[in-house]
Amino acid sequence: MTGKDIPKLEEAHAGIPQGTRINVTFLAGEDLGMRLAAARAVKRLGFVPVPHISARRLPSRAHLEEFLSGLAEDGTAENVFVVGGDPARPEGPYEDALSVIRTGLLQHYGVRHIGVSGYPEGHPAISDNTLWSALTDKSAALGAGRLAGDVITQFGFDADPVLGWLEAARARGVRLPVRVGVPGPAGVRRLLGYATRFGVATSASVARKYGFSLTNLVGTTGPDRFLDALAERYDPGRHGIVKVHFYTFGGLRTTSEWVARFRERGQLG
C-alpha cells in the first residue's frame, strides 16, 4: 500500500487474515507523516506493517533517524524493507540499501527483520553482476548483524526465470527466505504498463503462459497459472524457503478477495 491507501486498507481489511505482512511504500510524493500514519493504520487493523526505506531518497542521516524514531515511537519499527530506490543519483549520503543497513541505525531503533529486493529477470538499469553482488552482500550483512530477513522479488509473469533465479541464489549462499513477487489481479493494460516500467518480460509466449494476449488488452487477469506453475515445480531442497508477496497495484480489496477464493480451492497455503 501507499501512504494514501489507508481508506482502501480499511475497506479491504475484513478479508485479509490477521497478522498478514503489509508493505508501506516510500514514494517521492509522500511525506514523513503520511508514511508513519499508514504504518500505524496497518498495525491498528491487526496486520504487520513493513515500512519501506528508499536509500536514494533519503536526503540525510538525520532524515533516516527521524523516520526510524517515528516508527519506534509508534511501535511499527520491527519490520522494514530497504531498497535502493528510483533516483538515478542519491539525494543524500546513501547509495544503496546496503549502505543503510551498514549504518547500524536500524537495530538501534528496534528493527529486527529486514527485507531486501531480488530481481529474477534483472533490472533495466543495473547489471546482473552488480545485482548478485548486492544480494550476497546484503545477505551477509544481515547475518553479521544477527538480523532476520527475507528477499522480496520483483513481480513477473513467468515461473521459469523465478525458479532458475532461486536455484542460482541458493548456489551463491543466499539462505534467506524468498517471497516471490506475484501480480495481483488487474487489468491487462495496467499490468503491461507496470511490466514495461520495471523491465519485466512480456513476450507473446510469456503472455500465453500467464493467460493473457498481447493483441487483446481488454479485461482482467489473475496469477492462477503462474502460482500453479511455481507450486508444481517447487523443490524445497533446491529452492529453499519460498513464500509469496502480492503486488496489489492499488487494488487491495480486489487482491484480498482473489486470494481468499484461491485459498478456498486449496491452492494457497
Side-chain angles (χ1 to χ4, degrees):
M1 65 177 290
T2 73
K4 299 175 182 178
D5 285 339
I6 294 175
K8 292 182 180 179
L9 181 63
E10 291 173 334
E11 177 188 35
H13 85 276
I16 304 173
Q18 293 286 285
T20 295
R21 299 170 66 83
I22 296 182
N23 286 33
V24 179
T25 56
F26 195 106
L27 299 182
E30 298 178 350
D31 59 23
L32 176 67
M34 293 176 68
R35 295 169 187 139
L36 293 175
R40 287 196 299 270
V42 172
K43 181 181 178 182
R44 170 173 56 83
L45 292 169
F47 310 120
V48 176
V50 185
H52 286 200
I53 299 173
S54 180
R56 289 179 167 233
R57 293 197 188 282
L58 294 168
S60 66
R61 179 184 174 100
H63 190 93
L64 172 59
E65 291 208 64
E66 183 181 16
F67 185 38
L68 292 171
S69 176
L71 293 173
E73 289 175 8
D74 292 339
T76 56
E78 187 171 344
N79 299 268
V80 299
F81 176 76
V82 188
V83 66
D86 294 332
R89 294 185 178 180
E91 298 172 9
Y94 305 112
E95 174 74 21
D96 51 27
L98 184 61
S99 61
V100 171
I101 294 170
R102 284 176 170 167
T103 63
L105 290 174
L106 304 182
Q107 300 96 306
H108 177 75
Y109 284 97
V111 174
R112 297 293 176 263
H113 186 285
I114 298 175
V116 297
S117 55
Y119 299 91
E121 296 183 40
H123 189 287
I126 306 173
S127 72
D128 286 347
N129 285 341
T130 300
L131 288 173
W132 281 120
S133 294
L135 180 59
T136 55
D137 287 349
K138 286 181 285 190
S139 177
L142 295 184
R146 297 183 179 180
L147 287 159
D150 58 19
V151 182
I152 298 178
T153 74
Q154 182 57 275
F155 74 91
F157 303 119
D158 188 353
D160 289 343
V162 174
L163 293 164
W165 181 90
L166 285 166
E167 287 196 60
R170 301 318 184 194
R172 286 171 166 82
V174 177
R175 298 289 175 251
L176 295 170
V178 173
R179 294 179 181 270
V180 173
V182 178
V188 173
R189 193 181 299 275
R190 184 177 179 86
L191 286 173
L192 291 176
Y194 278 105
T196 299
R197 177 181 173 187
F198 295 117
V200 175
T202 56
S203 67
S205 62
V206 168
R208 283 195 299 272
K209 273 198 226 179
Y210 193 76
F212 63 83
S213 168
L214 296 181
T215 59
N216 182 5
L217 305 184
V218 178
T220 297
T221 187
D224 307 61
R225 293 186 185 181
F226 176 74
L227 285 171
D228 287 343
L230 282 176
E232 181 180 348
R233 295 167 54 194
Y234 169 62
D235 179 351
R238 289 165 32 214
H239 303 129
I241 299 173
V242 177
K243 301 182 180 181
V244 294
H245 172 84
F246 286 96
Y247 288 85
T248 67
F249 305 121
L252 284 163
R253 183 171 180 175
T254 301
T255 300
S256 65
E257 290 174 348
W258 183 93
V259 172
R261 291 193 299 270
F262 198 68
R263 181 178 281 116
E264 284 174 4
R265 297 200 301 269
Q267 294 172 282
L268 190 65

